[in-house]
């Protein structure tokens, strides 16, 4: 019995909690990508850099707040800085739309031109963030580290395995759930949200019914930018901020959006968790977990790891490729975008 | 005629830029830049073949560069006998298992008449069995190989052939990979193709980076044989000392320049040959057919053209050229460093070259390769110089000044992004646009 409990705790500690947190972060990013895809009809390669930009603004705000002696202990100051970062990211995104994307949008160029343009913006913003804040790794989480620490957990329960639950993990999950709830309430219940869905479903019909496309596009950028700033900040708070890593995050996010069916918000969330759980589950060595569950004589020799951790990012590419080749409309999607 | 003028004019400007750099900085810098310009031009030509001729979006340039680079190691490095005897058999058996599994999958998928669900189950079973068998053979074999003198070898090594042979093997290898990728991915619509190729290139680079038994991974392969003379030999050669004295150059400095010129002498004929081939292809009936397919797939299909086959051919050709560029780069560097393959440098920068030069025009792609590589390299000293000038007023102790100067190199990403956006907006057809609507006499 105790062995079983130990196994459960071990699995929760190393698999479920990290994967859930990571899944929330990926899902928020994928929601932004999928939203832009359904309204503007192109894959935004600059989304990872928007997340990076938002996180950079968060860090600057955190430094400012810390200098002014303002904090919301035991929570991380980053949460307090979030609104500033969201506002700045929205402003920058709307400006890029005004100065860059709109030119192509009103000319109705092929999606691939938009993709190349977004790659140009990716270049621009990755250079900008690295120039302004520098390419180094930065840790800006200043809240209380643990809600439950592994040691405390062991003492309380008397189990051999500890389980830790970090404040940033809790914050990630709570903020993500709140965002998703708000987004779905907006899309399903409000008039503006319905307008947006109508526009995404059938542009011509929406235009005929007097929907202002500019307004819908602005709104889509606003939401995508907010989600990017939030996702970026949560990821950076939970792990750390390094511009290079944010560039690499683009692929898990695309994988999540595609697995869920581009343009499908629910799918993006499901995709986010699929990617996160696959990444964590396939690179976790199961040796210790199995040792609790099988009799001692069956002890495994190897680490029981499916893939080396070096292949962590490759897993999302595999998911992406497999989904693209077998079900290009996504695992949940019906409509071909 | 006007077009020719502008082409000559633009290449003359490029030459002047290089000469000016030689006068301001040094001739050693110029020769370094020149060699990489030549390689960039070849990579850019490859992307142009795919996108410019056929409208295929390959965001996986990096992957084919890495495959080409790997080919150099596999061709030129001497074989490691101990590693072969330690794990060669295991690798051979693994390769056999993979081949059998693939063949079995193909037979089941193509030949057997089963219900879809059952077929999927059988396929899954074959793959599972293959993976299980591989775990037994492949893991121990690679471990044994990697244990052989890990600080020096720890991999199978190559064939020990002359390094220039890799310039033939690399395009073939890259073409083979591109054939597999194209077979699977070319049916996708454009921006999915972009994402798919991007993903595949990341997988390729991850493999190259982590399969130590094949490529040494992040331990790198250094000291690859060189097709050009070594500086130290030159410095001791009497004829070279005379040559340097005759030119009034110091022997040490001139030897490095001379070596780089030797490389350039190897690269220029390759570029010229590729250029000749590309130009004749583009102006042949085949080239006209390519453009017809690109501009109106449906109409071309109605005229009886096999779009799928044409796309696959052109994708493979482009990838082969990119692979050759990757091999030349590794040859020039004299080392294979898998961790240097980053998408910004190897995928998007090449795209910027091709678009700014003029997609669909071979001369444009080459010019873009030269110009953008030049800007990419020179943006760093220029950025430092500019920031130094701008922040001089802040004083030597200013933290802001130090921060800005330390990160000045990042400015080149910003510059490249802006250049791409500006060109896309104001001259979307590039510096040397594609000839359109030409008459038969042209």
């Amino acid at each position: 019995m105790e062995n079983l409990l130990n196994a459960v705790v071990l699995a929760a500690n190393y698999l479920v909690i990290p994967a859930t947190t990571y899944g929330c972060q990926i899902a928020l990013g994928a929601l932004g990508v999928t939203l832009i895809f359904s309204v503007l009809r192109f894959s935004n390669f600059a989304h990872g850099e928007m997340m990076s930009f938002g996180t950079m603004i968060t860090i600057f705000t955190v430094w400012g707040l810390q200098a002014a002696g303002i904090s919301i202990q035991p929570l991380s100051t980053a949460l307090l800085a979030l609104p500033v970062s969201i506002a700045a990211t929205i402003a920058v995104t709307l400006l890029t739309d005004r100065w860059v994307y709109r030119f192509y949008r009103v000319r109705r160029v092929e999606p691939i031109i938009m993709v190349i343009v977004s790659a140009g913006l990716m270049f621009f913003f990755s250079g900008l963030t690295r120039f302004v804040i520098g390419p180094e790794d930065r840790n800006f989480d200043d809240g209380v580290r643990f809600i439950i620490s592994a040691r405390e957990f062991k003492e309380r329960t008397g189990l051999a395995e500890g389980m830790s639950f970090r404040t940033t993990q809790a914050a990630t999950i709570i903020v993500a759930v709140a965002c998703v709830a708000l987004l779905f309430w907006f899309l399903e219940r409000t008039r503006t949200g319905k307008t947006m869905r109508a526009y995404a479903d059938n542009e011509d019909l929406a235009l005929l019914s007097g929907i202002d496309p500019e307004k819908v596009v602005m709104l889509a950028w606003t939401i995508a930018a907010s989600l990017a700033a939030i996702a970026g900040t949560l990821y950076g708070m939970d792990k750390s901020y390094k511009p290079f890593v944010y560039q690499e995050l683009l692929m898990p996010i695309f994988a999540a959006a595609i697995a869920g069916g581009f343009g499908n918000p629910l799918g993006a969330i499901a995709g986010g968790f699929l990617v996160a759980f696959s990444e964590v589950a396939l690179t976790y060595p199961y040796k210790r977990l199995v040792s609790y569950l099988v009799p001692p004589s069956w002890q495994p020799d190897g680490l029981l790891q499916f893939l080396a951790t070096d292949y962590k990012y490759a897993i999302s590419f595999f998911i992406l490729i497999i989904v693209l080749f077998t079900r290009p409309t996504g695992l949940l999607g019906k409509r071909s975008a | 005629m006007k077009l020719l003028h502008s082409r000559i004019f633009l290449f003359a400007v490029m030459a002047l830029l290089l000469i000016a750099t030689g006068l301001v900085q040094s001739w050693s810098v110029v020769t370094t830049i020149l060699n990489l310009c030549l390689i960039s031009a070849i990579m850019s030509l490859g992307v142009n073949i795919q996108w410019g001729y056929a409208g295929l979006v390959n965001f996986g340039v990096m992957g084919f560069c890495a495959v080409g680079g790997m080919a150099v190691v596999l061709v030129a490095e001497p074989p490691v006998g101990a590693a072969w005897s330690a794990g060669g058999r295991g690798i051979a058996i693994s390769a056999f298992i993979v081949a059998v599994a693939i063949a079995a999958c193909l037979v089941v998928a193509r030949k057997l008449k089963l219900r879809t669900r059952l077929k999927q189950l059988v396929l899954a079973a074959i793959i599972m069995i293959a993976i299980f068998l591989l775990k037994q053979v492949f893991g121990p074999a690679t471990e044994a190989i990697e244990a052989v003198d890990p600080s020096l070898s720890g991999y199978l090594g190559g064939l020990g052939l002359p390094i220039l042979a890799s310039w033939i093997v690399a395009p073939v290898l890259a073409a083979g990979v591109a054939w597999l990728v194209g077979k699977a991915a070319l049916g996708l619509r454009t921006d999915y193709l972009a994402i798919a190729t991007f993903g595949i290139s990341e997988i390729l680079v991850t493999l190259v980076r982590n399969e130590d038994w094949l490529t040494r991974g992040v331990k790198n392969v250094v000291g690859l044989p060189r097709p050009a003379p070594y500086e130290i030999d030159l410095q001791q050669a009497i004829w070279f000392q005379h040559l340097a004295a005759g030119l009034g150059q110091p022997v040490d400095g001139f030897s490095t320049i001379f070596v780089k010129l030797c490389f350039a002498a190897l690269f220029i004929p390759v570029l010229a040959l590729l250029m000749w081939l590309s130009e004749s292809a583009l102006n042949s009936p085949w080239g006209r057919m390519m453009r017809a397919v690109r501009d109106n797939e449906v109409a071309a299909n109605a005229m009886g053209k096999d779009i799928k086959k044409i796309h696959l051919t052109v994708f493979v050709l482009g990838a082969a050229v990119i692979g050759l560029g990757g091999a030349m780069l590794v040859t020039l560097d004299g080392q294979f460093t898998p961790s240097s393959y980053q998408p910004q440098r190897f995928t998007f920068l090449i795209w910027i070259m091709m678009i700014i030069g003029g997609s669909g025009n071979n001369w444009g792609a080459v010019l873009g390769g030269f110009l953008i590589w030049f800007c990419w390299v020179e943006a760093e000293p220029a950025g430092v110089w500019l920031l130094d000038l701008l922040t001089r007023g802040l004083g030597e102790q200013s933290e802001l000044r130090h921060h800005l100067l330390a990160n000045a190199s990042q400015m080149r990403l910003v510059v490249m992004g802006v250049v791409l956006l500006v060109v896309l907006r104001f001259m979307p057809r590039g510096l040397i646009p594609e000839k359109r609507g030409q008459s038969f006499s042209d």
Side-chain angles (χ1 to χ4, degrees):
Chain A
M1 190 57 209
E2 195 177 312
N3 272 344
L4 190 65
L5 273 179
N6 270 326
V8 169
V9 169
L10 190 71
N13 193 30
Y14 287 103
L15 291 170
V16 180
I17 295 177
T20 309
T21 321
Y22 182 47
C24 287
Q25 291 149 358
I26 295 295
L28 286 181
L31 272 175
V33 168
T34 229
L35 205 65
I36 293 303
F37 185 87
S38 58
V39 172
L40 284 109
R41 298 186 165 78
F42 76 97
S43 328
N44 183 9
F45 272 72
H47 197 80
E49 296 305 331
M50 292 320 300
M51 288 169 55
S52 179
F53 180 83
T55 318
M56 179 180 79
I57 301 293
T58 304
I59 295 176
F60 282 135
T61 318
V62 166
W63 287 347
L65 288 171
Q66 282 170 342
I70 302 169
S71 81
I72 45 167
Q73 290 289 349
L75 292 175
S76 175
T77 319
L79 291 172
L80 197 63
L82 205 47
V84 181
S85 142
I86 293 173
T89 314
I90 292 174
V92 165
T93 310
L94 289 181
L95 279 181
T96 52
D97 182 75
R98 178 73 190 73
W99 288 341
V100 182
Y101 289 118
R102 200 174 76 159
F103 175 82
Y104 304 95
R105 203 172 68 228
V106 295
R107 276 165 189 73
R108 292 177 167 265
V109 297
E110 284 175 58
I112 190 61
I113 303 295
M114 294 290 257
V115 170
I116 295 173
V117 169
S118 76
L121 281 169
M122 175 182 89
F123 246 85
F124 176 80
F125 278 109
S126 70
L128 189 74
T129 43
R130 287 175 210 193
F131 177 62
V132 175
I133 197 167
E136 302 88 6
D137 209 345
R138 288 180 198 281
N139 209 327
F140 60 95
D141 169 39
D142 56 358
V144 171
R145 200 157 159 66
F146 291 107
I147 293 178
I148 311 167
S149 78
R151 199 167 48 89
E152 211 179 309
F153 184 88
K154 278 188 211 168
E155 278 168 11
R156 290 243 190 110
T157 57
L159 288 172
E161 289 297 333
M163 185 174 74
S164 68
F165 192 46
R166 278 181 283 143
T167 324
T168 53
Q169 291 171 327
T172 298
I173 295 169
I174 292 168
V175 173
V177 169
C179 285
V180 169
L182 201 64
L183 180 68
F184 277 87
W185 171 79
F186 169 76
L187 287 176
E188 302 286 333
R189 296 267 180 259
T190 64
R191 198 180 156 74
T192 339
K194 284 177 187 164
T195 315
M196 206 160 119
R197 275 166 52 216
Y199 182 85
D201 272 348
N202 189 332
E203 199 179 328
D204 297 327
L205 213 57
L207 291 178
L208 270 179
S209 3
I211 289 174
D212 179 6
E214 280 299 299
K215 236 165 104 184
V216 174
V217 169
M218 293 301 131
L219 199 64
W221 280 121
T222 307
I223 299 173
S226 320
L227 289 170
I230 295 168
T233 302
L234 291 177
Y235 184 86
M237 196 171 75
D238 189 34
K239 300 182 171 82
S240 72
Y241 173 72
K242 195 177 183 192
F244 182 70
V245 171
Y246 277 64
Q247 187 187 323
E248 287 189 331
L249 270 183
L250 188 65
M251 266 301 122
I253 285 174
F254 269 167
I258 286 179
F262 248 150
N264 179 346
L266 260 182
I269 297 169
F273 285 103
L274 174 72
V275 168
F277 272 86
S278 320
E279 263 189 30
V280 175
L282 289 176
T283 54
Y284 178 71
Y286 288 92
K287 184 181 166 70
R288 216 159 91 200
L289 186 65
V290 171
S291 71
Y292 281 117
L293 297 175
V294 297
S297 54
W298 293 9
Q299 285 304 330
D301 305 321
L303 282 171
L304 292 184
Q305 190 179 17
F306 288 106
L307 277 171
T309 9
D310 304 320
Y311 283 96
K312 195 178 107 186
Y313 280 110
I315 292 168
S316 51
F317 306 133
F318 274 115
I319 294 178
L320 185 118
I321 305 286
I322 290 169
V323 173
L324 270 183
F325 291 163
T326 55
R327 300 195 59 170
T329 52
L331 300 175
L332 302 178
K334 304 174 281 285
R335 174 170 72 98
S336 165
Chain B
M1 246 359 241
K2 203 177 154 213
L3 192 77
L4 196 69
H5 269 301
S6 83
R7 188 191 296 167
I8 289 174
F9 170 72
L10 287 165
F11 274 99
V13 169
M14 190 61 235
L16 280 178
L17 278 176
L18 286 173
I19 292 169
T21 313
L23 296 174
V24 176
Q25 285 180 295
S26 76
W27 292 103
S28 179
V29 172
V30 176
T31 41
T32 309
I33 294 179
L34 176 71
N35 280 334
L36 278 154
C37 280
L38 290 164
I39 292 171
S40 304
I42 288 172
M43 292 178 181
S44 167
L45 260 182
V47 179
N48 185 38
I49 290 172
Q50 295 174 332
W51 165 251
Y53 294 14
L56 297 174
V57 191
N58 176 10
F59 270 9
V61 181
M62 171 181 74
F64 298 112
C65 288
V67 169
M70 184 180 76
V72 179
V73 173
L74 298 185
V75 167
E77 278 295 278
V80 181
W84 273 104
S85 50
R89 229 184 55 180
I91 296 293
I93 295 171
S94 309
F96 179 71
I97 295 173
V98 171
V100 169
I102 290 175
C105 283
L106 284 179
V107 167
V108 171
R110 295 259 170 87
K111 296 278 171 349
L112 289 190
K113 287 192 173 49
L114 296 171
R115 266 177 301 157
T116 325
R117 181 59 47 147
L118 189 62
K119 205 179 247 184
Q120 284 169 348
L121 277 177
V122 174
L123 285 177
I126 294 175
I127 294 170
M128 292 303 271
I129 293 170
I131 290 175
F132 177 77
L133 288 174
L134 278 178
K135 273 255 173 217
Q136 313 296 317
V137 188
F138 186 68
T142 53
E143 257 170 49
I145 291 170
E146 283 161 24
V148 176
D149 200 1
S151 60
L152 286 175
S153 55
Y155 77 128
L156 287 174
L159 299 171
L161 295 173
I163 193 160
L164 287 182
S166 69
W167 292 10
I168 298 162
V169 175
V172 173
L173 199 64
V177 174
W179 187 80
L180 287 175
V181 172
K183 234 6 197 173
L186 285 176
L188 298 168
R189 43 167 279 188
T190 48
D191 54 343
Y192 280 11
L193 180 61
I195 296 175
T197 45
F198 188 51
I200 291 170
S201 78
E202 289 281 356
I203 293 177
L204 285 174
V205 170
T206 314
L207 284 172
V208 168
R209 209 176 285 164
N210 293 308
E211 294 306 313
D212 290 15
W213 60 274
L214 187 63
T215 63
R216 289 200 85 211
V218 287
K219 286 181 283 181
N220 303 338
V221 179
V222 294
L224 287 163
R226 202 193 251 183
Y230 287 85
E231 288 86 349
I232 190 84
D233 300 335
L234 283 176
Q235 285 159 18
Q236 281 156 5
I238 307 290
W239 65 268
F240 185 79
Q241 288 166 358
H242 283 301
L243 183 68
L247 290 167
Q249 297 277 349
V251 174
D252 286 10
F254 187 57
S255 66
T256 63
I257 295 180
F258 187 82
V259 168
K260 284 183 254 183
L261 286 176
C262 287
F263 273 109
L266 288 171
F267 293 159
I268 290 170
V270 176
L271 179 61
L273 178 70
L274 282 176
M275 204 49 204
W276 179 70
L277 287 173
S278 316
E279 276 294 274
S280 6
L282 201 59
N283 294 321
S284 68
W286 183 82
R288 280 199 292 281
M289 176 188 72
M290 281 326 305
R291 287 193 292 277
V293 170
R294 179 193 65 192
D295 293 337
N296 194 335
E297 238 173 69
V298 181
N301 197 9
M303 296 303 286
K305 300 295 173 201
D306 185 348
I307 308 283
K308 254 191 171 167
K309 206 176 118 197
I310 292 167
H311 275 172
L312 189 60
T313 318
V314 86
F315 189 76
V316 166
L317 283 177
V321 173
I322 297 168
L324 174 59
M328 289 162 72
L329 182 65
V330 170
T331 312
L332 176 67
D333 289 343
Q335 56 180 348
F336 180 61
T337 44
S339 51
S340 68
Y341 291 100
Q342 301 294 345
Q344 276 183 333
R345 156 74 179 87
F346 280 96
T347 296
F348 295 109
L349 194 66
I350 310 292
W351 265 83
I352 293 178
M353 289 169 182
M354 190 260 306
I355 286 177
I356 286 173
S359 50
N361 187 318
N362 295 318
W363 292 102
V366 170
L367 177 74
F370 272 78
L371 189 64
I372 294 302
W373 182 262
F374 180 81
C375 295
W376 178 252
V377 174
E378 289 296 327
E380 193 172 333
V384 171
W385 174 81
L386 187 70
L387 284 169
D388 186 44
L389 198 72
L390 288 177
T391 57
R392 196 156 285 171
L394 294 171
E396 279 307 312
Q397 263 67 53
S398 163
E399 244 180 69
L400 182 66
R401 180 180 150 88
H402 278 287
H403 173 84
L404 290 179
L405 282 178
N407 291 322
S409 66
Q410 309 295 343
M411 277 313 274
R412 62 186 186 182
L413 292 169
V414 177
V415 172
M416 283 303 132
V418 170
V419 168
L420 176 66
L421 292 174
V422 167
V423 168
L424 271 177
R425 171 100 169 229
F426 297 106
M427 41 191 316
R429 294 173 61 204
L431 290 171
I432 310 182
E434 186 188 1
K435 287 184 274 182
R436 293 213 175 177
Q438 62 204 23
S439 60
F440 290 105
S441 60
D442 197 80

Short mmCIF file of all heavy atoms in Angstrom, two decimals, chain B residues 289-309:
data_model
loop_
_atom_site.label_atom_id
_atom_site.label_comp_id
_atom_site.label_asym_id
_atom_site.label_seq_id
_atom_site.Cartn_x
_atom_site.Cartn_y
_atom_site.Cartn_z
N MET B 289 7.92 25.50 -68.00
CA MET B 289 6.90 24.64 -67.39
C MET B 289 6.84 24.91 -65.88
O MET B 289 5.76 25.02 -65.31
CB MET B 289 7.25 23.18 -67.64
CG MET B 289 6.31 22.21 -66.97
SD MET B 289 6.89 20.53 -67.12
CE MET B 289 8.26 20.53 -66.00
N MET B 290 8.03 25.05 -65.24
CA MET B 290 8.06 25.33 -63.80
C MET B 290 7.26 26.58 -63.48
O MET B 290 6.45 26.60 -62.56
CB MET B 290 9.50 25.60 -63.34
CG MET B 290 10.43 24.46 -63.12
SD MET B 290 9.72 22.98 -62.50
CE MET B 290 8.94 23.56 -61.07
N ARG B 291 7.52 27.64 -64.25
CA ARG B 291 6.82 28.90 -63.97
C ARG B 291 5.33 28.74 -64.20
O ARG B 291 4.52 29.29 -63.46
CB ARG B 291 7.39 30.00 -64.86
CG ARG B 291 8.77 30.46 -64.42
CD ARG B 291 9.17 31.74 -65.11
NE ARG B 291 9.39 31.57 -66.54
CZ ARG B 291 10.54 31.13 -67.07
NH1 ARG B 291 11.54 30.82 -66.28
NH2 ARG B 291 10.68 31.01 -68.36
N ALA B 292 4.99 27.97 -65.24
CA ALA B 292 3.56 27.77 -65.50
C ALA B 292 2.91 27.06 -64.32
O ALA B 292 1.83 27.43 -63.87
CB ALA B 292 3.39 26.95 -66.78
N VAL B 293 3.60 26.05 -63.78
CA VAL B 293 3.06 25.31 -62.64
C VAL B 293 2.93 26.23 -61.44
O VAL B 293 1.92 26.22 -60.73
CB VAL B 293 3.96 24.10 -62.31
CG1 VAL B 293 3.56 23.48 -60.99
CG2 VAL B 293 3.90 23.09 -63.42
N ARG B 294 3.96 27.05 -61.22
CA ARG B 294 3.95 27.93 -60.06
C ARG B 294 2.81 28.94 -60.15
O ARG B 294 2.11 29.19 -59.18
CB ARG B 294 5.28 28.68 -59.98
CG ARG B 294 5.37 29.66 -58.82
CD ARG B 294 6.55 30.58 -58.99
NE ARG B 294 6.39 31.43 -60.16
CZ ARG B 294 7.35 32.18 -60.68
NH1 ARG B 294 8.56 32.16 -60.16
NH2 ARG B 294 7.13 32.94 -61.74
N ASP B 295 2.65 29.53 -61.35
CA ASP B 295 1.69 30.62 -61.47
C ASP B 295 0.25 30.13 -61.58
O ASP B 295 -0.67 30.85 -61.18
CB ASP B 295 2.05 31.51 -62.67
CG ASP B 295 3.36 32.23 -62.43
OD1 ASP B 295 3.73 32.39 -61.25
OD2 ASP B 295 4.03 32.62 -63.40
N ASN B 296 0.04 28.96 -62.15
CA ASN B 296 -1.32 28.44 -62.19
C ASN B 296 -1.29 26.93 -62.23
O ASN B 296 -1.21 26.31 -63.28
CB ASN B 296 -2.07 29.00 -63.40
CG ASN B 296 -3.56 28.75 -63.27
OD1 ASN B 296 -3.97 27.82 -62.59
ND2 ASN B 296 -4.35 29.58 -63.92
N GLU B 297 -1.37 26.37 -61.01
CA GLU B 297 -1.26 24.93 -60.88
C GLU B 297 -2.37 24.21 -61.63
O GLU B 297 -2.13 23.21 -62.32
CB GLU B 297 -1.33 24.57 -59.40
CG GLU B 297 -0.13 23.81 -58.91
CD GLU B 297 -0.19 23.62 -57.41
OE1 GLU B 297 -1.05 22.88 -56.94
OE2 GLU B 297 0.63 24.25 -56.71
N VAL B 298 -3.57 24.75 -61.50
CA VAL B 298 -4.74 24.07 -62.08
C VAL B 298 -4.62 24.00 -63.60
O VAL B 298 -4.81 22.95 -64.21
CB VAL B 298 -6.03 24.80 -61.66
CG1 VAL B 298 -7.24 24.08 -62.23
CG2 VAL B 298 -6.12 24.88 -60.15
N ALA B 299 -4.25 25.16 -64.18
CA ALA B 299 -4.14 25.20 -65.63
C ALA B 299 -3.03 24.25 -66.10
O ALA B 299 -3.21 23.50 -67.07
CB ALA B 299 -3.84 26.62 -66.09
N ALA B 300 -1.89 24.27 -65.39
CA ALA B 300 -0.78 23.41 -65.79
C ALA B 300 -1.19 21.95 -65.68
O ALA B 300 -0.86 21.13 -66.54
CB ALA B 300 0.43 23.69 -64.90
N ASN B 301 -1.95 21.64 -64.65
CA ASN B 301 -2.42 20.27 -64.47
C ASN B 301 -3.34 19.88 -65.62
O ASN B 301 -3.25 18.77 -66.16
CB ASN B 301 -3.15 20.17 -63.13
CG ASN B 301 -3.29 18.74 -62.69
OD1 ASN B 301 -2.70 17.84 -63.30
ND2 ASN B 301 -4.07 18.52 -61.66
N ALA B 302 -4.19 20.83 -66.01
CA ALA B 302 -5.11 20.57 -67.11
C ALA B 302 -4.34 20.33 -68.40
O ALA B 302 -4.81 19.60 -69.30
CB ALA B 302 -6.07 21.73 -67.27
N MET B 303 -3.16 20.93 -68.52
CA MET B 303 -2.35 20.73 -69.72
C MET B 303 -1.58 19.41 -69.66
O MET B 303 -0.71 19.15 -70.49
CB MET B 303 -1.35 21.88 -69.89
CG MET B 303 -1.97 23.23 -70.12
SD MET B 303 -3.05 23.26 -71.55
CE MET B 303 -1.84 23.24 -72.85
N GLY B 304 -1.85 18.63 -68.63
CA GLY B 304 -1.25 17.30 -68.57
C GLY B 304 0.07 17.23 -67.84
O GLY B 304 0.83 16.29 -68.00
N LYS B 305 0.36 18.26 -67.03
CA LYS B 305 1.61 18.22 -66.27
C LYS B 305 1.36 17.54 -64.92
O LYS B 305 0.39 17.86 -64.24
CB LYS B 305 2.14 19.64 -66.03
CG LYS B 305 2.41 20.41 -67.31
CD LYS B 305 3.52 19.78 -68.11
CE LYS B 305 3.66 20.47 -69.45
NZ LYS B 305 4.36 19.62 -70.43
N ASP B 306 2.27 16.65 -64.55
CA ASP B 306 2.16 15.95 -63.28
C ASP B 306 2.73 16.84 -62.17
O ASP B 306 3.92 16.84 -61.91
CB ASP B 306 2.93 14.63 -63.38
CG ASP B 306 2.77 13.78 -62.12
OD1 ASP B 306 2.26 14.33 -61.12
OD2 ASP B 306 3.15 12.61 -62.15
N ILE B 307 1.83 17.60 -61.53
CA ILE B 307 2.27 18.61 -60.56
C ILE B 307 3.09 17.99 -59.44
O ILE B 307 4.15 18.50 -59.07
CB ILE B 307 1.04 19.32 -59.95
CG1 ILE B 307 0.13 19.85 -61.03
CG2 ILE B 307 1.48 20.42 -59.00
CD1 ILE B 307 0.60 21.09 -61.70
N LYS B 308 2.61 16.87 -58.91
CA LYS B 308 3.28 16.24 -57.77
C LYS B 308 4.72 15.90 -58.12
O LYS B 308 5.65 16.18 -57.36
CB LYS B 308 2.54 14.96 -57.39
CG LYS B 308 1.72 15.10 -56.13
CD LYS B 308 1.25 13.73 -55.70
CE LYS B 308 0.61 13.80 -54.33
NZ LYS B 308 -0.11 12.56 -54.02
N LYS B 309 4.89 15.29 -59.29
CA LYS B 309 6.22 14.86 -59.70
C LYS B 309 7.13 16.09 -59.90
O LYS B 309 8.29 16.09 -59.48
CB LYS B 309 6.12 14.06 -61.00
CG LYS B 309 7.25 13.07 -61.17
CD LYS B 309 7.05 12.23 -62.42
CE LYS B 309 8.19 12.47 -63.38
NZ LYS B 309 7.89 12.02 -64.74
#
